[in-house]
């Protein structure tokens, strides 16, 4: 599928525009791969939605021209994609760091967000979250210049030892290699930007759209922080709900794209009636 591109002051953003329908879905992927949502997006387009799937700055075919893009800037890029596509608003879906960007968009531009679906949101931190060693060990490996080891430590720690097989099954060998190649950008540019982002109860009060917080049930076994982070958002946003998908981990958009697409569809359809 041909990519569309738009230029901003700090980035060149590529996105796909697939499917037709009155309901527009904007997909914001997580770290490492621009294609986390590729299988989900195809399924949603087949279900009659117009799907805008963004390659965030620094990933895939998009370029970070600033040498480090803030969460606020990523959200601004998403708003510009909607404008470029002629969409007045959208049902916004984010995964991991993309979920944090979706939150920022809903805070800054509530007029653009009809509903918000957040899969295993990466930030903000929760005070009671379990301390998973995956991220500190991954950062240490990256500081030593071993980005591939950092990639393995991080995704293995939050998704389990079979995450590479999942990538290859859904995205092929090239998809896995592209994700590995993006590790340097994540550790040197995106991770610091995410760490500098603040989102608390005051910001959450500006989120007016209904919110679905999706958590992978395998996170409890893997001792990941995402359930606690989602629970914190649930306590801040009264129009939110949590759904736990058993048998899935942080890699849930690739582990079961059919279930993820179906879950998103049910939430959107209920809110569009």
């Amino acid at each position: 599928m041909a990519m569309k591109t738009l230029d901003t002051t700090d980035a060149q953003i590529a996105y796909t525009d697939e499917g037709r329908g009155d309901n527009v879905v904007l997909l914001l992927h997580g770290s490492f791969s621009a294609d986390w949502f590729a299988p989900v997006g195809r399924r949603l387009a087949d279900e009659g939605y117009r799907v805008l799937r963004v390659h965030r700055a620094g990933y895939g075919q998009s370029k970070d021209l600033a040498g480090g893009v803030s969460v606020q800037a990523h959200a601004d890029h998403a708003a510009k994609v909607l404008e470029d596509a002629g969409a007045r608003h959208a049902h916004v879906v984010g995964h991991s760091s993309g979920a944090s960007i979706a939150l920022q968009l809903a805070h800054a531009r509530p007029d653009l967000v009809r509903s918000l679906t957040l899969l295993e949101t990466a930030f903000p931190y929760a005070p009671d979250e379990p301390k998973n060693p995956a991220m500190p060990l991954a950062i240490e490996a990256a500081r030593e210049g071993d980005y591939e080891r950092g990639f393995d430590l991080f995704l293995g720690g939050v998704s389990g030892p079979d995450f590479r097989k999942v990538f290859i099954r859904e995205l092929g060998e090239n998809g896995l290699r592209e994700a590995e190649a993006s590790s340097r950008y994540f550790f040197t540019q995106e991770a610091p930007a995410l760490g500098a982002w603040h989102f608390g109860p005051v910001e959450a009060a500006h989120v007016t759209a209904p919110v679905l917080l999706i958590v992978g049930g395998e996170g409890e076994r893997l001792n990941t922080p995402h359930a606690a982070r989602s629970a914190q958002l649930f306590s801040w946003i009264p129009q939110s709900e949590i759904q736990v998908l058993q048998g899935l981990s942080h890699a849930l958009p690739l582990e079961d794209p059919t279930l993820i697409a179906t879950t998103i569809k049910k939430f959107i359809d209920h809110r569009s009636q």
Side-chain angles (χ1 to χ4, degrees), residues 32 42-43 58 73 89 92 122 168 176 182 187 191 240 244 251 259 266:
F32 298 108
R42 289 192 294 269
R43 285 161 172 80
H89 43 54
V92 180
I168 293 169
L176 177 60
S182 295
F187 287 113
S240 65
V244 179
L259 176 59
K266 287 181 179 177

Side-chain angles (χ1 to χ4, degrees), residues 126-137:
D128 59 341
E129 66 182 45
K131 304 305 178 186
N132 186 304
M135 191 59 174
L137 290 173

Side-chain angles (χ1 to χ4, degrees), residues 140-219:
E140 182 180 350
R143 284 175 180 161
E144 295 171 354
D146 193 345
Y147 297 107
E148 184 174 344
R149 182 166 174 266
F151 173 80
D152 278 334
L153 284 166
F154 179 73
L155 283 180
V158 297
S159 304
D162 293 332
F163 79 90
R164 284 178 170 269
K165 294 178 182 178
V166 172
F167 262 85
I168 293 169
R169 185 190 71 215
E170 295 298 328
L171 303 179
E173 293 278 359
N174 285 341
L176 177 60
R177 282 194 291 268
E178 288 173 7
E180 288 174 335
S182 295
S183 297
R184 179 187 291 269
Y185 181 79
F186 170 73
F187 287 113
T188 63
Q189 303 295 336
E190 181 160 89
L194 287 165
W197 178 60
H198 173 75
F199 190 92
V202 173
E203 289 76 18
H206 291 270
V207 176
T208 57
V211 179
L212 174 61
L213 300 154
I214 298 178
V215 177
E218 284 295 286

Side-chain angles (χ1 to χ4, degrees), residues 218-231:
E218 284 295 286
E220 183 175 3
R221 181 180 64 82
L222 294 168
N223 201 41
T224 64
H226 304 100
R229 294 175 186 180
S230 293

